[in-house]
């Protein structure tokens, strides 16, 4: 294969990879690989959420639900958390954002056995619901807190 053909193929692959990254960013989902298994990642996530002073509203073990009806599902665990001080200003601007609040984080295991933590980007949520710049400071604080929580839950010390 000629060098110019290889370069074109590499450029095409780079464009496809770039498009996939943009598509992930466009839908607002942030996904981080964990250095731990699903159970340990969830324990670390919940501990960090509580350490930040947030309230855990619910813990949904989707895999247990699937097993209860005889269906297989790799570990898939959802944590719902937040606080009214952070979320209420957003709902005062656009009540529809209440469908996406409180915040949620999903710990899941892929087919290869890797563990991931996914959550919605608060900036994307505000864009989705047309929330104005008046709540930019709390949204930035929320984004920073989520990033820090996710890093602590997924990274080895």
């Amino acid at each position: 294969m000629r060098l110019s053909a290889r370069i074109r193929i590499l450029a095409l692959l780079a464009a496809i990879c770039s498009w996939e990254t943009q598509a992930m960013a466009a839908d607002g989902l942030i996904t981080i690989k964990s250095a731990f298994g699903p159970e340990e990642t969830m324990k670390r996530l919940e501990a960090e959420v509580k350490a930040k002073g947030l309230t855990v509203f619910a813990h949904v073990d989707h895999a247990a639900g699937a097993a209860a009806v005889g269906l297989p599902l790799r570990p898939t665990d959802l944590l719902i958390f937040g606080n009214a001080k952070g979320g209420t200003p957003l709902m005062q601007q656009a009540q529809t954002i209440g469908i996406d609040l409180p915040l949620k984080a999903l710990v899941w295991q892929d087919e290869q056995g890797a563990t991931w933590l996914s959550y919605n980007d608060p900036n994307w949520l505000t864009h989705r619901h047309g929330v104005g710049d008046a709540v930019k400071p709390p949204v930035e604080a929320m984004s920073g807190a989520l990033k820090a929580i996710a890093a602590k839950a997924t990274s080895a010390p």
Side-chain angles (χ1 to χ4, degrees):
M1 185 181 287
R2 292 183 30 216
L3 181 61
S4 64
R6 287 183 187 157
I7 291 171
R8 278 188 250 137
I9 290 170
L10 287 174
L12 178 61
L13 288 173
I16 289 169
C17 290
S18 171
W19 178 81
E20 287 179 10
T21 300
Q22 291 171 353
M24 282 186 70
D27 71 6
L29 189 66
I30 296 173
T31 298
I32 302 164
K33 188 172 185 176
S34 180
F36 308 99
E39 191 173 322
E40 181 65 19
T41 300
M42 180 52 76
K43 284 180 186 173
R44 293 170 63 91
L45 173 64
E46 190 165 354
E48 194 57 31
V49 162
K50 289 177 179 177
K52 293 283 187 195
L54 301 171
T55 301
V56 172
F57 296 109
H59 184 166
V60 180
D61 185 343
H62 290 297
V69 295
L71 297 172
L73 183 64
R74 289 184 305 277
T76 308
D77 216 351
L78 181 71
L79 193 68
I80 302 171
F81 59 94
N83 73 32
K85 203 171 201 175
T88 302
L90 280 65
M91 288 186 277
Q92 288 172 331
Q93 291 285 312
Q95 283 180 283
T96 58
I97 201 167
I99 193 78
D100 290 313
L101 296 176
L103 298 170
K104 299 162 204 64
L106 184 72
V107 174
W108 54 282
Q109 188 177 58
D110 68 18
E111 291 174 347
Q112 289 75 37
T115 299
W116 302 87
L117 186 148
S118 299
Y119 63 91
N120 287 316
D121 178 4
N123 287 302
W124 180 82
L125 293 176
T126 58
H127 177 73
R128 176 182 184 201
H129 295 278
V131 174
D133 286 340
V135 293
K136 190 169 183 154
V139 170
E140 292 302 320
M142 198 180 291
S143 294
L146 275 172
K147 185 175 181 178
I149 289 168
K152 282 240 179 160
T154 59
S155 300

